[in-house]
Amino acid sequence: MRAAPTILHLDMDAFYAAAEQAAKPSLRGKPVVVGGIGTRGVVATASYEARRFGVHSAMPVAQARRLCPNAAYLMPRFALYRTVSEQVMELLGRLSPLVEPLSLDEAFVDLEAGGVADDSASARRAGELLRADIRAVTGLTGSVGLAGSKMLAKIASEQAKPDGLVLIEPGTERELLGPMPVRVLPGVGPATGEHLRRAGMTTVADLAEAGEDELVRLLGKAHGVSLYRMAVGHDERPVVAERDAKSVSVEDTFEVDLHDRVRVRNEVVRLSDRCVQRLRAAGRSGRTVVLKVRRYDFSTLTRSETLRGPTDDPAVVREAAGRLLESVDTTGGVRLLGVGVTGLADFTQEDLFAQAAGELAEAEAGAAREAAETAEGGAGSGDPVAPPVPEPEPESHRRWLAGQDVRHTEYGAGWVQGSGVGRVTVRFEEPTSPPGRVRTFPVDDPDLSPSDPLPLVRAAGDQAGSSPASRPKSRSGAGEEMSSP
């Protein structure tokens, strides 16, 4: 525990939904829900306007639509969120070399390690400047918590929401924590919370009063000791700059249960390729392939296979996932499929047998094609038969998703408001424009095409110069300029 509140926790406010509102002027001040837009989708983030209707993260979208039918339901645009997250993390990196990202929109920062704060006044100053810089660079708001430990800094940022700053003075921890529910402490989930409730402990003060021995008796030595220390305000976990990923995975939930075994197999192949793409993007390889299958009755099965060495070869991952699929009964229907890789490493060890098998299969396929061409040529005029050319997918099969970025050759940038019955409705507006006009087109309109997200703030790089890192640092003011009398 530190004597000064120099650990900062930043949590962006309703991040995905706020980014969508910033990108789409017509949605500002209105309820927005980001997540799976199908009947089986799940809410990723709801704007504060939607939360007033009871919509929250991890809620089924079908339930959210019943609670807030007039909200805008949009697909996630992770390319945009990652770009904004990188801008925010860059600002945090200018505060300190010790930044511990927890997700795209959340991180701890050790202000003391950066030399920008050593007491309450300088920590508050650094936090306020950070909030101002985030708004200037991204157009979004974030809530900041400051305390002498990670646990309390996170609690403080939750109290600061939305768009605020809360500083917990060292020495006031027990008074602050006492009336809070036990679930506020790290490591207390639904099961542990219920176990403690049955023992008559519902607040943090109850845990502190029960004592370490009683908590050890109820929860075991490791969990009991840790929980007691947190209940009395002690948390000595350091801010760790590098958090090593333990796995890479992708999964999809399907609108309608999959019954066709061939379709299931094709989806596993597709997910395997996506998983390898993420693996390679991270510069990693993995030793264990994991298959996740959620069946029609919501039962979830996982199967894994450990390879002889780490790999990032898509053929190897596809083959392993396919073998795992053979051990799973999917006759009743499949709701969800996932493919992951664990046991990550920074190098690859090629699976020579799989590579040889792939080359053999390719050679056999080539020989079969040659034989077929020869047979067809002998039956006809004797001219060589050209290999078949796959027909392009019909334009009518183009799928437009709500919230998707598009561009029209005449009307410019916009986003999909909805589609169906062969039509797509687009609202043409940009982050820095007034609310735009809505127009409807055929889904195969050749002038309409997908596009990349637009920046939320113009010339964001120029504005970054106002960050705390660009201001002179002082031990007393965390960025205040020293002036002579």
Side-chain angles (χ1 to χ4, degrees):
M1 295 294 296
R2 300 186 178 185
T6 54
I7 292 182
L8 179 149
H9 181 258
L10 170 72
D11 195 354
M12 299 295 288
D13 300 320
F15 182 49
Y16 297 170
E20 296 298 342
Q21 289 176 318
K24 302 172 172 62
S26 59
L27 297 183
R28 293 170 191 169
K30 298 179 181 178
V32 174
V33 178
V34 179
I37 57 179
T39 56
R40 291 182 177 173
V42 175
V43 175
T45 305
S47 69
Y48 286 98
E49 295 85 357
R51 295 181 190 187
R52 298 192 187 104
F53 293 86
V55 180
H56 58 77
S57 299
M59 171 183 286
V61 167
Q63 182 181 354
R65 288 184 183 276
R66 291 193 294 270
L67 293 173
C68 191
N70 296 322
Y73 289 84
L74 308 175
M75 59 170 281
R77 296 188 298 154
F78 287 106
L80 170 64
Y81 310 149
R82 290 192 187 96
T83 299
V84 177
S85 176
E86 289 169 0
Q87 294 174 321
V88 173
M89 295 303 165
E90 181 182 354
L91 292 175
L92 297 182
R94 295 179 181 184
L95 281 175
S96 171
L98 290 183
V99 177
E100 182 178 341
L102 303 179
S103 62
L104 291 177
D105 62 334
E106 186 180 2
F108 287 109
V109 184
D110 188 332
L111 299 178
E112 186 176 310
V116 297
D118 59 2
D119 58 15
S120 296
S122 57
R124 182 181 294 276
R125 170 73 170 165
E128 293 290 6
L129 291 176
L130 173 65
R131 291 178 57 236
D133 289 333
I134 288 174
R135 183 186 287 274
V137 170
T138 70
L140 306 180
T141 64
S143 296
V144 168
L146 293 157
S149 70
K150 291 168 72 172
M151 175 187 71
L152 290 167
K154 186 172 176 63
I155 290 173
S157 69
E158 189 64 31
Q159 291 184 329
K161 284 187 168 294
D163 190 21
L165 182 149
V166 168
L167 184 148
I168 298 177
E169 291 285 357
T172 65
E173 296 90 352
R174 293 192 65 169
E175 179 183 354
L176 173 78
L177 288 171
M180 293 185 174
V182 295
R183 289 287 302 276
V184 76
L185 299 179
V188 181
T192 302
E194 177 60 20
H195 189 47
L196 293 170
R197 187 193 66 78
R198 290 198 299 268
M201 304 177 198
T202 58
T203 67
V204 176
D206 294 334
L207 301 181
E209 185 178 347
E212 183 176 319
D213 292 341
E214 178 64 12
L215 293 179
V216 168
R217 186 186 69 80
L218 285 171
L219 304 173
K221 184 171 179 60
H223 199 182
V225 171
S226 173
L227 198 58
Y228 175 74
R229 291 183 61 79
M230 289 187 177
V232 296
H234 290 286
D235 177 19
E236 298 177 356
R237 294 175 299 163
V239 176
V240 181
E242 297 293 334
R243 293 171 60 87
D244 195 23
K246 297 181 179 179
S247 65
V248 173
S249 63
V250 295
E251 62 181 43
D252 273 346
T253 301
F254 305 105
E255 298 272 346
V256 180
D257 290 349
L258 303 185
H259 293 86
D260 184 352
R261 187 75 176 182
V262 174
R263 169 75 187 282
V264 173
R265 173 78 185 210
N266 290 340
E267 291 294 338
V268 168
V269 169
R270 183 178 61 82
L271 290 168
S272 298
D273 290 343
R274 282 176 53 197
C275 182
V276 170
Q277 288 174 2
R278 289 192 180 183
L279 195 66
R280 288 181 169 180
R284 310 299 295 275
S285 61
R287 186 184 181 94
T288 301
V289 178
V290 180
L291 176 72
K292 177 180 177 181
V293 180
R294 181 166 296 150
R295 299 188 292 189
Y296 68 99
D297 58 356
F298 288 90
S299 61
T300 302
L301 305 176
T302 57
R303 299 287 186 269
S304 64
E305 177 181 318
T306 299
L307 308 172
R308 288 194 300 274
T311 184
D312 64 352
D313 187 336
V316 174
V317 175
R318 283 196 299 263
E319 290 171 9
R323 288 192 295 271
L324 295 171
L325 179 63
E326 295 302 319
S327 66
V328 178
D329 180 13
T330 62
T331 53
V334 173
R335 296 176 59 88
L336 174 147
L337 286 170
V339 174
V341 177
T342 65
L344 301 188
D346 294 325
F347 62 93
T348 62
Q349 183 175 340
E350 297 297 340
D351 189 327
L352 299 180
F353 291 100
Q355 184 176 358
E359 292 172 353
L360 177 61
E362 197 171 314
E364 290 176 348
R369 283 195 301 269
E370 289 180 6
E373 290 169 5
T374 301
E376 290 186 20
S381 62
D383 295 330
V385 179
V389 178
E391 295 184 4
E393 184 179 10
E395 288 290 331
S396 59
H397 290 178
R398 292 166 71 182
R399 188 182 180 198
W400 303 103
L401 300 175
Q404 180 180 355
D405 292 288
V406 296
R407 180 169 289 277
H408 193 275
T409 55
E410 179 179 353
Y411 302 111
W415 57 278
V416 175
Q417 202 164 271
S419 64
V421 200
R423 314 288 286 179
V424 56
T425 300
V426 177
R427 185 181 288 274
F428 290 96
E429 59 186 4
E430 299 184 14
T432 56
S433 73
R437 181 174 175 180
V438 174
R439 298 178 184 274
T440 300
F441 308 92
V443 294
D444 57 356
D445 190 320
D447 292 329
L448 188 67
S449 61
S451 69
D452 294 327
L454 297 174
L456 300 184
V457 176
R458 286 180 179 172
D462 295 337
Q463 298 182 48
S466 65
S467 68
S470 65
R471 302 186 178 98
K473 297 177 183 177
S474 69
R475 301 298 295 178
S476 61
E480 293 178 328
E481 295 185 10
M482 301 295 292
S483 58
S484 57

